[in-house]
Every structure is written in C-alpha cells, then in structure tokens.
C-alpha cells in the first residue's frame, strides 16, 4: 500500500493543483457576483463547481495513472505534462500545449544526446 501511495500521490497532487487552480480563477468572478446578489453562495453553484472539478480531475489524471499502474512512471509524467498543457489551453485559451510538447521533445533529445556522448566517450576511453 505504501508503494502505491508513493506511486500515485504525486500524479494526483499535480493534477489536483492544475485543475483546482484554473477552476478557482474561472469561477472566482461568478462566486463574487452570486455572493453579492444573495449574500451567500448558492448550493447549486457549489455543486456545479465540485462536479466540474471532479470531472476535469478524472479526465486529466486517468491516462497518467493508468501508465503509472503499468510501471511506466516517466511516460506517465510526460503524459501529465502534455495533458496539463492541453487542459490549460482548454481552460484559458493560452496555448500551453505547444511549449509543453517542445519541452518534452528537447528533454528527450538532450537525454538521447547525453547517452550517445557517454557511449562514445566510454568507447574511446577503453581503446
């Protein structure tokens, strides 16, 4: 059980932080207007916010959690970064998916170049 918590908790935490932060800013004006009109926040607005956050959290984290369950941890985090960028684009209209994919691609290329350079260095060092 402890290994499962260490495996899934960071993915759920990052997904929750992204979804909660964006939905907080998305509903902030609506909450203030409703609070100013009625003096309280209506129950139907609270239930709508909770339903939206839960739905978005499930959609954002299902693929990374499935990949993590199959012991593809690095792939799960890459998927979370890309899906997070797409989600930010969906919620705000600011293109964050392109930079997220670019960062992942450059990270992969840097790792590939480093491993090849290390192999070449080791090859010539043993000669």
């Amino acid at each position: 059980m402890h290994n499962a918590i260490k495996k899934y908790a960071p993915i759920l935490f990052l997904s929750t932080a992204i979804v909660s932060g964006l939905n907080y800013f998305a509903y902030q004006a609506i909450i203030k207007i409703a609070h100013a009109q009625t003096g309280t926040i209506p129950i139907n607005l609270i239930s709508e916010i909770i339903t939206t956050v839960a739905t978005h959290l499930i959609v954002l984290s299902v693929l990374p959690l499935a990949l993590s369950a199959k012991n593809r941890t690095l792939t799960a985090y890459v998927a979370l970064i890309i899906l997070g960028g797409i989600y930010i684009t969906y919620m705000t209209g600011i293109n964050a998916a392109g930079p997220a994919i670019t960062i992942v691609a450059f990270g992969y290329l840097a790792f590939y170049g480093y491993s090849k350079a290390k192999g070449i260095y080791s090859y010539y060092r043993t000669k």
Side-chain angles (χ1 to χ4, degrees), residues 55-80:
T55 305
H56 290 184
L57 181 62
I58 290 169
V59 169
L60 183 63
S61 63
V62 72
L63 181 64
L65 287 175
L67 288 169
S68 183
K70 293 196 178 277
N71 292 328
R72 307 283 303 207
T73 308
L74 184 59
T75 309
Y77 284 110
V78 169
L80 181 62

Side-chain angles (χ1 to χ4, degrees), residues 4-78:
I5 292 172
K6 286 174 43 177
K7 191 181 207 183
Y8 302 132
I11 293 172
L12 287 174
F13 176 74
L14 291 172
S15 298
T16 304
I18 292 169
V19 171
S20 299
L22 289 176
N23 279 298
Y24 170 75
F25 290 118
Y27 280 103
Q28 188 175 13
I30 297 169
I31 291 171
K32 286 183 180 181
I33 291 169
H35 187 61
Q37 287 177 346
T38 61
T40 61
I41 300 171
I43 297 297
N44 58 353
L45 179 62
I46 292 172
S47 64
E48 177 186 337
I49 292 170
I50 290 172
T51 305
T52 303
V53 168
T55 305
H56 290 184
L57 181 62
I58 290 169
V59 169
L60 183 63
S61 63
V62 72
L63 181 64
L65 287 175
L67 288 169
S68 183
K70 293 196 178 277
N71 292 328
R72 307 283 303 207
T73 308
L74 184 59
T75 309
Y77 284 110
V78 169

Side-chain angles (χ1 to χ4, degrees), residues 72-106:
R72 307 283 303 207
T73 308
L74 184 59
T75 309
Y77 284 110
V78 169
L80 181 62
I81 290 169
I82 293 172
L83 289 174
I86 293 169
Y87 181 71
I88 291 170
T89 302
Y90 169 73
M91 287 296 290
T92 63
I94 299 170
N95 185 13
I101 292 170
T102 304
I103 289 169
V104 169
F106 277 120

